[in-house]
Amino acid sequence: MAPRTTKQFEEIRTERRAQILDAALHVFAEEGYHTASVSKIAKRASISKGLMYNYFTSKEELLKTIVLEIFEEVMEGMDMKPGEVLTKEKFIHTVHFGIDIAVNNPHRWKLYVSLTFQPDVMPVIMAEMMPHIQPYMKSLSEYFGKKNYDDPIAMMRIYSAMVDGIQMHCILDPENFPVQKAKQLIIDQFA
Amino acid sequence: MAPRTTKQFEEIRTERRAQILDAALHVFAEEGYHTASVSKIAKRASISKGLMYNYFTSKEELLKTIVLEIFEEVMEGMDMKPGEVLTKEKFIHTVHFGIDIAVNNPHRWKLYVSLTFQPDVMPVIMAEMMPHIQPYMKSLSEYFGKKNYDDPIAMMRIYSAMVDGIQMHCILDPENFPVQKAKQLIIDQFA
Amino acid sequence: MAPRTTKQFEEIRTERRAQILDAALHVFAEEGYHTASVSKIAKRASISKGLMYNYFTSKEELLKTIVLEIFEEVMEGMDMKPGEVLTKEKFIHTVHFGIDIAVNNPHRWKLYVSLTFQPDVMPVIMAEMMPHIQPYMKSLSEYFGKKNYDDPIAMMRIYSAMVDGIQMHCILDPENFPVQKAKQLIIDQFA
Amino acid sequence: MAPRTTKQFEEIRTERRAQILDAALHVFAEEGYHTASVSKIAKRASISKGLMYNYFTSKEELLKTIVLEIFEEVMEGMDMKPGEVLTKEKFIHTVHFGIDIAVNNPHRWKLYVSLTFQPDVMPVIMAEMMPHIQPYMKSLSEYFGKKNYDDPIAMMRIYSAMVDGIQMHCILDPENFPVQKAKQLIIDQFA
DNA sequence: GATGAATGAGCATTCATTCAT
DNA sequence: TATGAATGAATGCTCATTCAT
């Protein structure tokens, strides 16, 4: 019988990979990174534990991959060129996008935030992310500078904190949290 | 040797208990709840593992105790009677106190927040807390109602989210976060 | 495409086989039998794991094959007919050949010796070899008998032990071990 | 009830430790280091796997401990001061002792030799030992120098090889190998 | 009260081997 | 013939918890 073509193999791998990542994300979100067991992830992905290790070298790599994937999605969605000066429209788009992404990906976001508070897992990942976040924070500071705030960096920090708080509540109680109103308040306050 | 009096025993117990809780808090904060080992906690408290189990029935109980302790401290500090109608001064005090407590107890607070995102540990504790939080949220809603906001409950939620975000950033970057300015912004916005 | 002839297929098989054995030998020698993984062997032989199992039924068979191959090479090189009475020249040739084979095939020999000390793998192989070694040991005993040693079998054992020791050191430190001098000493002592 | 005294704890630990090392030695010798499982060692020592890790941090540490213990025993038994010039009597004692130790500790010695051929385990240990072996090799070289051999270092190497070969055969076939005769031959040849 | 030896279930990870294509 | 995805049993190791003293 003819062996599988390279393309067939690639398709299998791509699909399986996604399957595993999806399973991992859900199990991580449901139980937390440490409590989640590889067995459970494999079971949820309907594959054997061994196969998981054919795709990812460790439980930690699974985590890193998930976190970096959403991070890239965010950075891309923000669509901010390094050094770019924000217009009001762009700023407003940023607010909407930044909050919506948490609303639309509650699992991923929950995982992401929970990791921020787990001193043992994140340092490596955070270190990798920081350089990419810097320009975004700089753009924000400059935007606030343009608006004649006396301490634009402080404003940027407060703005970020408030958005993070809103994201948090969106995740923890998506049913009841008044997202739209919250966005409007942020925009009225900072834009 | 003269036998110890009951009172002496009690003193020893009280002190030991505090010793253990303090050790646990630090180890939890440094390594995260799951990564922290009972051995390490015992070592840090300079007692044996066995003795720890004489004071707390499990690692989880240690956690619960810590969380509930800070929770009680918060509720007490808020000093809000059920059904009480907030004055502006009281509201402002609430803002200050709520943020300061995170600033002054970063370890405890970090632990507290991280647990909020660990679905496997907290549910029990959260369930226990909820009834105590309700009246506080009600008081806030009513305060916002008095100020003629059209949806005071939504305001209360947004306010809470923003304060939580600020607390978070205070913990994660205590050096650089502009706490005072943030408080002022909150007060200007909501008081 | 013209179908391959039977002969062509055979050639491919022979070559592949050698390829695999060579890869296995090197990986075994570099990492030890147990540590070596089939994946690595396949990779080194530039074939798939599956194909390897088409040629050898197991990792252990790979090992057996390698060991038996060198064993046959040795027996052939010794060129000793069963029952043959050794001349001095033949004995000297035996010494040279026996030591040179280790010098010239350090990988194979190292593997061979290491297995001698791994009780879990060799018994089967050793059992298979023993009958072939017997006549060689007998010839040696008789040679020593002719030379009026009072216990020729003991001499044969001691001689073998010393040669083995020399082989060992040749393998472990080929740069510095004085092979020629060692051979001469053996010959002076026993021939 | 009175807690155990420190001395009692020490006794328990000393005994258990020996128990575990003994079990490990036998299992290693019977199955080889890699094939031996920690479970089996624990079972043979009649303790739980967990307890083993209370005494040794890893399977590898078990191995190191065993190897270093016998190594120290050997060095002590050789009783050779660094820089010491060997007398004939001392040299003869060395031969006897060096071979007897293998005869008397076949398990340990077998383990020791097998490791010499396992490229993945020993490097670290060997590196640690080398400095201690150097002076011993130097003393031997000097002894052979005194006897007017033209290349005393070569003689020392050949001597070592032969002794190693004899040790090897003593271990592999203790019943039949003529130890006494072998010693005598070595002494006649080199002393 | 106090100790730390002891347990055992659980976990991440590896790897020889099989099998559909 | 040839591939590499897939399996699953086994392994080293950890750690909350118990218990004899």
Side-chain angles (χ1 to χ4, degrees):
Chain A
M1 226 178 301
R4 282 202 191 80
T5 64
T6 303
K7 206 186 147 202
Q8 278 174 311
F9 277 130
E10 256 169 36
E11 271 166 21
I12 291 177
R13 283 197 81 82
T14 311
E15 200 182 326
R16 274 273 182 276
R17 202 188 121 96
Q19 215 172 103
I20 295 171
L21 282 176
D22 186 66
L25 174 61
H26 280 88
V27 178
F28 283 160
E30 271 163 29
E31 322 198 358
Y33 173 69
H34 279 105
T35 314
S37 80
V38 172
S39 287
K40 208 163 212 162
I41 294 171
K43 203 165 282 169
R44 178 151 194 156
S46 312
I47 57 160
S48 68
K49 251 188 305 180
L51 189 55
M52 203 226 77
Y53 283 90
N54 194 314
Y55 285 81
F56 298 90
T57 59
S58 67
K59 189 182 168 187
E60 197 182 335
E61 210 209 19
L62 219 38
L63 178 69
K64 273 194 198 170
T65 307
I66 291 172
V67 172
L68 288 177
E69 248 174 32
I70 188 173
F71 179 74
E72 273 163 29
E73 194 184 329
V74 173
M75 289 326 263
E76 210 171 289
M78 289 295 190
D79 185 31
M80 223 183 271
K81 276 142 214 87
E84 175 179 8
V85 181
L86 290 182
T87 61
K88 187 169 179 177
E89 285 71 38
K90 197 79 183 249
F91 176 78
I92 292 176
H93 162 257
T94 299
V95 172
H96 279 283
F97 179 84
I99 291 175
D100 286 345
I101 198 146
V103 174
N104 299 329
N105 301 275
H107 282 160
R108 279 228 258 289
W109 210 258
K110 196 172 176 183
L111 180 58
Y112 177 77
V113 179
S114 80
L115 291 171
T116 312
F117 288 92
Q118 301 236 340
D120 52 323
V121 213
M122 285 300 273
V124 195
I125 308 183
M126 286 316 246
E128 211 168 314
M129 287 178 173
M130 262 310 152
H132 298 96
I133 296 178
Q134 291 294 354
Y136 162 70
M137 294 191 353
K138 191 147 173 287
S139 281
L140 274 176
S141 303
E142 277 163 15
Y143 180 71
F144 291 132
K146 253 189 2 193
K147 301 190 72 77
N148 288 326
Y149 285 117
D150 60 329
D151 186 347
I153 292 183
M155 279 319 268
M156 178 269 289
R157 286 179 184 279
I158 295 169
Y159 161 79
S160 303
M162 288 179 168
V163 170
D164 283 355
I166 289 164
Q167 287 178 330
M168 237 174 88
H169 280 237
C170 285
I171 296 162
L172 293 177
D173 189 0
E175 310 289 303
N176 301 309
F177 192 81
V179 202
Q180 296 313 326
K181 245 197 176 75
K183 280 184 195 168
Q184 200 52 54
L185 229 73
I186 289 281
I187 289 166
D188 291 348
Q189 172 80 262
F190 292 99
Chain B
M1 221 187 312
R4 275 184 265 232
T5 63
T6 308
K7 204 186 148 204
Q8 277 174 316
F9 273 126
E10 255 169 36
E11 269 167 24
I12 290 178
R13 278 200 80 82
T14 312
E15 200 182 327
R16 277 261 187 281
R17 207 186 115 95
Q19 217 171 96
I20 296 171
L21 283 176
D22 186 67
L25 174 61
H26 280 88
V27 179
F28 284 161
E30 270 162 29
E31 323 198 356
Y33 173 69
H34 279 105
T35 314
S37 83
V38 172
S39 288
K40 208 165 210 162
I41 294 171
K43 202 164 285 168
R44 179 151 193 160
S46 313
I47 58 158
S48 71
K49 260 187 297 178
L51 191 54
M52 205 225 77
Y53 279 88
N54 194 315
Y55 285 80
F56 298 90
T57 61
S58 68
K59 188 182 170 188
E60 197 182 336
E61 210 209 18
L62 223 35
L63 178 69
K64 272 194 202 169
T65 307
I66 291 172
V67 172
L68 288 177
E69 247 173 33
I70 187 172
F71 180 73
E72 272 162 29
E73 193 184 331
V74 173
M75 289 325 264
E76 209 170 291
M78 289 296 191
D79 183 33
M80 223 180 271
K81 278 144 213 85
E84 176 178 10
V85 182
L86 289 182
T87 61
K88 186 169 180 177
E89 285 69 38
K90 196 81 184 249
F91 175 77
I92 291 176
H93 162 257
T94 300
V95 173
H96 280 283
F97 179 82
I99 290 176
D100 287 344
I101 199 149
V103 174
N104 298 330
N105 301 274
H107 282 160
R108 282 229 255 290
W109 210 258
K110 196 173 177 183
L111 180 58
Y112 177 76
V113 178
S114 80
L115 291 171
T116 312
F117 288 92
Q118 300 237 339
D120 53 321
V121 214
M122 286 299 276
V124 194
I125 308 182
M126 287 314 248
E128 210 167 316
M129 287 176 173
M130 262 310 153
H132 298 96
I133 297 179
Q134 291 295 352
Y136 163 71
M137 293 189 355
K138 190 145 173 288
S139 281
L140 273 176
S141 302
E142 277 163 14
Y143 180 71
F144 291 132
K146 253 186 5 192
K147 301 190 71 82
N148 288 325
Y149 286 117
D150 60 328
D151 186 347
I153 292 183
M155 278 321 267
M156 179 270 289
R157 287 180 183 278
I158 295 169
Y159 161 80
S160 302
M162 287 179 170
V163 170
D164 283 356
I166 288 164
Q167 287 178 330
M168 238 174 85
H169 280 236
C170 285
I171 296 162
L172 293 178
D173 189 0
E175 311 288 304
N176 301 308
F177 192 82
V179 200
Q180 297 314 326
K181 247 197 175 74
K183 280 183 195 169
Q184 201 50 54
L185 229 75
I186 289 282
I187 290 166
D188 291 348
Q189 173 80 262
F190 292 98
Chain C
M1 222 190 308
R4 276 186 263 231
T5 63
T6 307
K7 205 186 146 204
Q8 277 176 314
F9 272 127
E10 258 169 36
E11 270 167 22
I12 290 177
R13 278 198 81 82
T14 312
E15 201 182 325
R16 276 260 188 284
R17 207 187 114 95
Q19 218 171 97
I20 296 171
L21 283 176
D22 186 66
L25 174 62
H26 280 88
V27 179
F28 284 161
E30 271 163 28
E31 322 197 357
Y33 172 69
H34 279 104
T35 314
S37 82
V38 171
S39 288
K40 207 165 211 164
I41 294 171
K43 203 165 284 168
R44 178 150 192 161
S46 310
I47 58 159
S48 71
K49 259 186 300 179
L51 191 53
M52 204 224 77
Y53 279 87
N54 193 315
Y55 285 80
F56 298 90
T57 61
S58 69
K59 190 183 169 187
E60 197 182 336
E61 211 211 17
L62 223 36
L63 178 68
K64 273 194 202 171
T65 308
I66 291 172
V67 172
L68 288 177
E69 249 175 31
I70 187 172
F71 180 73
E72 274 163 27
E73 194 184 330
V74 174
M75 289 326 264
E76 210 171 290
M78 289 295 191
D79 185 31
M80 223 182 273
K81 276 143 213 87
E84 175 179 10
V85 180
L86 289 181
T87 61
K88 186 170 181 177
E89 284 70 36
K90 197 78 183 253
F91 175 78
I92 292 175
H93 163 257
T94 300
V95 173
H96 279 284
F97 180 81
I99 290 176
D100 286 345
I101 199 149
V103 173
N104 298 330
N105 301 275
H107 282 161
R108 280 228 258 288
W109 210 257
K110 196 173 176 182
L111 181 59
Y112 177 76
V113 178
S114 80
L115 291 171
T116 311
F117 288 93
Q118 300 237 339
D120 53 322
V121 214
M122 285 300 275
V124 195
I125 308 183
M126 287 314 249
E128 211 168 316
M129 286 177 174
M130 262 309 153
H132 299 95
I133 297 179
Q134 291 294 354
Y136 163 70
M137 292 189 356
K138 191 145 173 288
S139 282
L140 272 177
S141 301
E142 278 162 14
Y143 179 70
F144 290 132
K146 253 189 3 194
K147 301 189 71 79
N148 289 325
Y149 285 118
D150 61 328
D151 187 347
I153 292 184
M155 278 320 268
M156 179 270 288
R157 286 181 184 279
I158 295 170
Y159 161 79
S160 302
M162 287 179 169
V163 170
D164 283 356
I166 289 164
Q167 288 178 330
M168 236 174 87
H169 280 237
C170 285
I171 296 163
L172 292 179
D173 189 0
E175 310 288 305
N176 300 309
F177 192 81
V179 202
Q180 297 313 325
K181 247 198 176 74
K183 280 183 194 170
Q184 201 50 55
L185 230 73
I186 289 281
I187 289 167
D188 292 348
Q189 172 80 261
F190 292 99
Chain D
M1 228 177 299
R4 284 202 190 82
T5 64
T6 305
K7 204 186 149 204
Q8 277 174 314
F9 278 131
E10 254 168 37
E11 270 165 23
I12 291 177
R13 283 197 80 82
T14 310
E15 199 183 327
R16 274 271 182 277
R17 202 188 120 97
Q19 214 173 104
I20 295 172
L21 282 176
D22 186 66
L25 174 62
H26 280 88
V27 178
F28 283 161
E30 271 162 29
E31 322 199 357
Y33 173 69
H34 278 104
T35 314
S37 80
V38 172
S39 286
K40 208 164 212 161
I41 294 171
K43 203 164 285 167
R44 177 151 194 157
S46 311
I47 56 158
S48 69
K49 250 189 306 178
L51 189 55
M52 203 226 77
Y53 282 91
N54 193 314
Y55 286 80
F56 298 91
T57 60
S58 67
K59 188 183 169 186
E60 197 182 335
E61 210 209 19
L62 219 39
L63 178 68
K64 272 194 200 170
T65 307
I66 291 173
V67 172
L68 287 178
E69 249 174 32
I70 188 173
F71 179 74
E72 271 163 30
E73 194 185 329
V74 174
M75 290 324 264
E76 210 170 289
M78 290 295 191
D79 184 33
M80 221 181 271
K81 277 143 212 86
E84 176 178 9
V85 181
L86 290 182
T87 60
K88 189 169 179 178
E89 285 69 39
K90 197 80 182 249
F91 175 77
I92 292 175
H93 163 257
T94 300
V95 173
H96 279 283
F97 179 82
I99 291 176
D100 286 345
I101 198 148
V103 174
N104 299 329
N105 301 274
H107 283 159
R108 281 229 258 289
W109 209 260
K110 197 172 176 184
L111 180 58
Y112 178 76
V113 179
S114 80
L115 290 170
T116 312
F117 289 92
Q118 301 235 342
D120 52 322
V121 212
M122 284 300 273
V124 194
I125 308 183
M126 287 315 245
E128 212 168 312
M129 287 179 173
M130 262 308 152
H132 297 96
I133 297 180
Q134 291 294 355
Y136 164 68
M137 295 192 351
K138 191 146 172 288
S139 281
L140 274 176
S141 303
E142 277 163 15
Y143 180 70
F144 291 132
K146 257 190 357 195
K147 301 190 73 77
N148 289 325
Y149 286 118
D150 60 328
D151 187 346
I153 293 182
M155 279 319 268
M156 179 270 289
R157 286 178 184 279
I158 295 168
Y159 162 79
S160 303
M162 287 178 169
V163 170
D164 283 356
I166 289 164
Q167 288 178 330
M168 237 173 88
H169 281 236
C170 286
I171 296 162
L172 293 178
D173 189 0
E175 310 288 305
N176 300 308
F177 191 81
V179 201
Q180 297 314 326
K181 248 199 173 69
K183 280 185 196 168
Q184 202 50 56
L185 229 74
I186 289 281
I187 289 167
D188 292 347
Q189 173 80 263
F190 291 98

